[in-house]
C-alpha cells in the first residue's frame, strides 16, 4: 500500500467471510437440534411417568430467571472482548490511515469529550430508576420501559404457546397436530417479510414449502403406523394447533426484532425478565391445579417429580438461550425450517429407544424435509453473499472518498480557519 492510502480487502475476502458465517449458522442450528431432542426425550419421560404439566412449566419459569444473575458478568466479558478487538484493529490499520490535520484532531477530541459526558449523564439518570441487576450496557441501548414491554411480550407469548400446545395435543391426534404445528415455516416467512423487511426469494419459499410438505407426509406415516390411540379429531384441536404455530411465529419474529442490536447481556436480560413474567402468570394456574386435584394427586414420589422438573428446567433454560441466539444470529424462518428437520431425528430416536413402527413414508418425508432445509439454507447463503457484495461496493466508495479528501487537504494546506478565527475561503 502507498503511504496515506486506506487498506482495501483482498479479492474473495468477503466470499470467505460469507462462507464462514454460513458454516457458523449451520453449526448453531445443529447444536440447537441436539438440545431440542434432549428436551423432547426429557419432557416425554416426565409426562409418561408423572403426568405433570403445570408444575413442569412453573419450575421451567423459575429456573429461567437465573440469567438475570449473570448479566453483569456477561457485560464485563463482552466489554473486554470489544476492547481487545478494538486494539487489534487499531494496530492492524494504523499504518494505512492518512495523517489527520490538527484541526481535525481538535474537533474529534472535543466531540469525543462531549459524547463521553452525554453517555455518563444518560447512564447515571437511567441507573436511578432501574434494577441493580441490569448493567449500563443494556440500559444505554434500550430504555427500561421498552425493555419491560419486550419482556412482557415474550413471557405472555411463551405462556400462550404452552397452553395452545396442550389444548392441541389433548384434542387432536398427534399426527395431525404435528403437521399443523409446522405451518410456522410459512407464518415465519410471511411475518419476516412484513415486519423485518426480509427479502423473499424463490429458494426460501420453495424450501419452506418443501419442509412443510415433508412434515405432512411424516404425519400421514404416523397415522398409518403409530396411531394406536384412536383419538378423535376436533375442530377446537385444529384451531389450537394453528394458533400455536401462529403464536410461535410472532414470538420468533419478536425475538429477531428485539435482538437487532445483538448483545449477550441483552439476550440474558430478556430471557430472565420474561421468565419472571411467566412465574407471575403461572401462580394462579398452579394454585387452581393443586386446589382441584388436577395435578399432584396421583404422585407416589413428589421428590422425584421435583427433581425431574428441575432437571428439565435447566435443559429448557439452555435451550431457550440458544434458541433466541440462533434467531438473532440467523433468521426466524431459518430456525423454523431447522425445527422441522428435527422431527425425523426424534422419530428415529423413538424407534431406537421405544421400538415404534416405521413406514417407508418416513424415509420419503425425511428426504423431503432435509432437501427443503438445505434449499432454504442455500437461499439465505445466496442472500448473504449479495449483501456482502453490496457492502464491498459501499466500502470501496467510502475509501475513494476518504482518499480524495486526503489528497485535497494535501494540495490545500491552508484550507480551514485563519489565524484570528475567520474562515479562509478558497476557489475550491
Amino acid at each position: 500500500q502507498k503511504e496515506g492510502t486506506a487498506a482495501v480487502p483482498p479479492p474473495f475476502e468477503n466470499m470467505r467471510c460469507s462462507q464462514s458465517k454460513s458454516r457458523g449458522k449451520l453449526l448453531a442450528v445443529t447444536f440447537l437440534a441436539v438440545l431440542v431432542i434432549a428436551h423432547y426425550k426429557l419432557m416425554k419421560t416426565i409426562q409418561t411417568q408423572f403426568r405433570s404439566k403445570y408444575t413442569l412449566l412453573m419450575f421451567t419459569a423459575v429456573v429461567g430467571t437465573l440469567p438475570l444473575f449473570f448479566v453483569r458478568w456477561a457485560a464485563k466479558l463482552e466489554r473486554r472482548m470489544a476492547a481487545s478487538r478494538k486494539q487489534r484493529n487499531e494496530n492492524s490499520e494504523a499504518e494505512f490511515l492518512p495523517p489527520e490535520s490538527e484541526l481535525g484532531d481538535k474537533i474529534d477530541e472535543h466531540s469525543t469529550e462531549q459524547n463521553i459526558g452525554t453517555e455518563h449523564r444518560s447512564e447515571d439518570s437511567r441507573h436511578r430508576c432501574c434494577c441493580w441487576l441490569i448493567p449500563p450496557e443494556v440500559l444505554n441501548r434500550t430504555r427500561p420501559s421498552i425493555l419491560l414491554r419486550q419482556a412482557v411480550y415474550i413471557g405472555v407469548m411463551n405462556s400462550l404457546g404452552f397452553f395452545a400446545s396442550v389444548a392441541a395435543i389433548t384434542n387432536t391426534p398427534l399426527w395431525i397436530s404435528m403437521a399443523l404445528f409446522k405451518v410456522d415455516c410459512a407464518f415465519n416467512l410471511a411475518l419476516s417479510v412484513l415486519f423485518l423487511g426480509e427479502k423473499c426469494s424463490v429458494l426460501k419459499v420453495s424450501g419452506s414449502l418443501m419442509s412443510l410438505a415433508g412434515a405432512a407426509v411424516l404425519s400421514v406415516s404416523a397415522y398409518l403406523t403409530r396411531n394406536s390411540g384412536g383419538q378423535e379429531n376436533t375442530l377446537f384441536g385444529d384451531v389450537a394447533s394453528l394458533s400455536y404455530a401462529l403464536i410461535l411465529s410472532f414470538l420468533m419474529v419478536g425475538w429477531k426484532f428485539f435482538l437487532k442490536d445483538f448483545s449477550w447481556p441483552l439476550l440474558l436480560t430478556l430471557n430472565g425478565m420474561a421468565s419472571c413474567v411467566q412465574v407471575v402468570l403461572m401462580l394462579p394456574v398452579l394454585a387452581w391445579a393443586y386446589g382441584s386435584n388436577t395435578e399432584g394427586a396421583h404422585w407416589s414420589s413428589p421428590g422425584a417429580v421435583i427433581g425431574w422438573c428441575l432437571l428439565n428446567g435447566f435443559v429448557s433454560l439452555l435451550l431457550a438461550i440458544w434458541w433466541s441466539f440462533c434467531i438473532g444470529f440467523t433468521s426466524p424462518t431459518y430456525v423454523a425450517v431447522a425445527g422441522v428437520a428435527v422431527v425425523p431425528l426424534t422419530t428415529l430416536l423413538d424407534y431406537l429407544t421405544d421400538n415404534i413402527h416405521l413406514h417407508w413414508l418416513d424415509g420419503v418425508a425425511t428426504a423431503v424435509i432435509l432437501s427443503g432445509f438445505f434449499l432454504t439454507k442455500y437461499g439465505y447463503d445466496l442472500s448473504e453473499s449479495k449483501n456482502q457484495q453490496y457492502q464491498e461496493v459501499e466500502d470501496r466508495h467510502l475509501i475513494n472518498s476518504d482518499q480524495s479528501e486526503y489528497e485535497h487537504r494535501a494540495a490545500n494546506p491552508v484550507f480551514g480557519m485563519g489565524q484570528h478565527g475567520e474562515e479562509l475561503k478558497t476557489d475550491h
Side-chain angles (χ1 to χ4, degrees):
Q1 298 288 341
K2 295 181 180 180
E3 183 180 359
T5 59
V8 180
F12 306 108
E13 183 67 26
N14 287 331
M15 185 181 298
R16 287 196 293 267
C17 180
S18 178
Q19 292 175 355
S20 176
K21 192 172 182 179
S22 175
R23 289 193 294 268
K25 290 180 179 180
L26 184 60
L27 290 176
V29 296
T30 301
F31 183 62
L32 179 65
V34 174
L35 290 177
V36 170
I37 293 173
H39 183 252
Y40 164 76
K41 292 299 294 183
L42 190 58
M43 288 275 290
K44 188 175 182 180
T45 301
I46 295 174
Q47 291 294 330
T48 303
Q49 295 184 1
F50 306 108
R51 296 181 180 179
S52 172
K53 293 184 293 186
Y54 305 110
T55 305
L56 186 67
L57 181 61
M58 187 63 182
F59 274 92
T60 301
V62 171
V63 176
T65 60
L66 292 179
L68 288 175
F69 299 97
F70 297 94
V71 174
R72 287 191 169 273
W73 176 81
K76 291 180 181 179
L77 182 62
E78 191 176 70
R79 198 182 308 125
R80 292 177 182 175
M81 293 177 64
S84 177
R85 285 195 302 268
K86 182 179 179 181
Q87 185 64 33
R88 288 198 303 267
N89 293 334
E90 290 177 352
N91 294 336
S92 62
E93 296 177 0
E95 56 181 319
F96 300 117
L97 292 176
E100 296 288 340
S101 63
E102 296 180 358
L103 178 63
D105 291 339
K106 292 179 180 179
I107 293 176
D108 292 340
E109 291 176 0
H110 181 65
S111 61
T112 302
E113 292 176 358
Q114 288 182 344
N115 292 336
I116 292 176
T118 304
E119 289 177 0
H120 281 303
R121 286 194 298 270
S122 61
E123 179 179 327
D124 293 339
S125 61
R126 288 171 181 174
H127 262 298
R128 296 191 193 102
C129 58
C130 297
C131 179
W132 63 271
L133 290 173
I134 304 176
E137 285 80 2
V138 176
L139 299 179
N140 289 338
R141 294 180 179 182
T142 307
R143 288 187 298 177
S145 58
I146 297 178
L147 195 66
L148 180 60
R149 287 198 294 266
Q150 292 174 353
V152 170
Y153 175 85
I154 296 173
V156 171
M157 296 301 282
N158 277 331
S159 302
L160 290 178
F162 170 77
F163 291 118
S165 62
V166 170
I169 294 174
T170 54
N171 293 277
T172 302
L174 186 60
W175 64 276
I176 295 180
S177 60
M178 183 181 65
L180 295 177
F181 284 168
K182 300 310 174 184
V183 181
D184 68 330
C185 295
F187 287 158
N188 269 296
L189 185 58
L191 293 176
S192 297
V193 173
L194 290 175
F195 297 105
L196 301 178
E198 183 177 318
K199 294 181 179 180
C200 185
S201 64
V202 177
L203 293 175
K204 295 178 183 178
V205 175
S206 301
S208 300
L209 292 179
M210 285 184 65
S211 300
L212 182 58
V217 173
L218 196 65
S219 298
V220 172
S221 175
Y223 169 73
L224 295 175
T225 58
R226 300 184 285 275
N227 189 32
S228 58
Q231 184 179 2
E232 294 183 359
N233 185 36
T234 61
L235 179 61
F236 176 76
D238 295 341
V239 173
S241 300
L242 291 175
S243 300
Y244 171 77
L246 188 61
I247 291 170
L248 185 63
S249 301
F250 272 105
L251 179 61
M252 296 173 72
V253 172
W255 266 114
K256 182 65 176 180
F257 181 77
F258 300 153
L259 296 177
K260 57 184 177 181
D261 188 14
F262 180 83
S263 69
W264 279 104
L266 177 61
L267 185 146
L268 295 177
T269 301
L270 286 176
N271 271 290
M273 293 179 65
S275 296
C276 293
V277 174
Q278 282 186 267
V279 170
V280 174
L281 294 176
M282 282 302 300
L283 281 175
V285 178
L286 194 65
W288 166 81
Y290 281 106
S292 60
N293 291 329
T294 305
E295 191 162 324
H298 305 288
W299 291 349
S300 59
S301 177
V305 176
I306 295 175
W308 279 100
C309 289
L310 281 175
L311 178 60
N312 178 78
F314 285 106
V315 176
S316 299
L317 173 61
L318 183 59
L319 174 60
I321 292 175
W322 195 254
W323 182 71
S324 53
F325 164 74
C326 289
I327 294 174
F329 182 52
T330 60
S331 169
T333 308
Y334 193 97
V335 175
V337 175
V340 181
V342 174
V343 178
L345 298 178
T346 57
T347 304
L348 179 61
L349 187 62
D350 287 339
Y351 170 75
L352 296 176
T353 57
D354 301 335
N355 296 322
I356 64 172
H357 298 287
L358 294 180
H359 196 269
W360 61 270
L361 286 176
D362 292 323
V364 175
T366 302
V368 174
I369 290 174
L370 293 179
S371 300
F373 169 72
F374 284 107
L375 190 62
T376 306
K377 177 182 177 299
Y378 179 71
Y380 277 97
D381 292 344
L382 191 62
S383 177
E384 185 71 24
S385 178
K386 290 181 179 179
N387 291 335
Q388 290 285 348
Q389 292 177 2
Y390 295 151
Q391 186 65 36
E392 182 179 355
V393 173
E394 293 179 359
D395 291 343
R396 289 184 181 276
H397 176 71
L398 291 176
I399 290 171
N400 293 333
S401 62
D402 291 341
Q403 180 64 21
S404 299
E405 182 181 356
Y406 167 71
E407 292 175 354
H408 172 68
R409 288 185 178 184
N412 301 274
V414 297
F415 181 76
M417 303 298 292
Q419 183 177 2
H420 301 288
E422 68 275 7
E423 183 180 357
L424 295 178
K425 299 181 180 180
T426 62
D427 295 337
H428 178 77

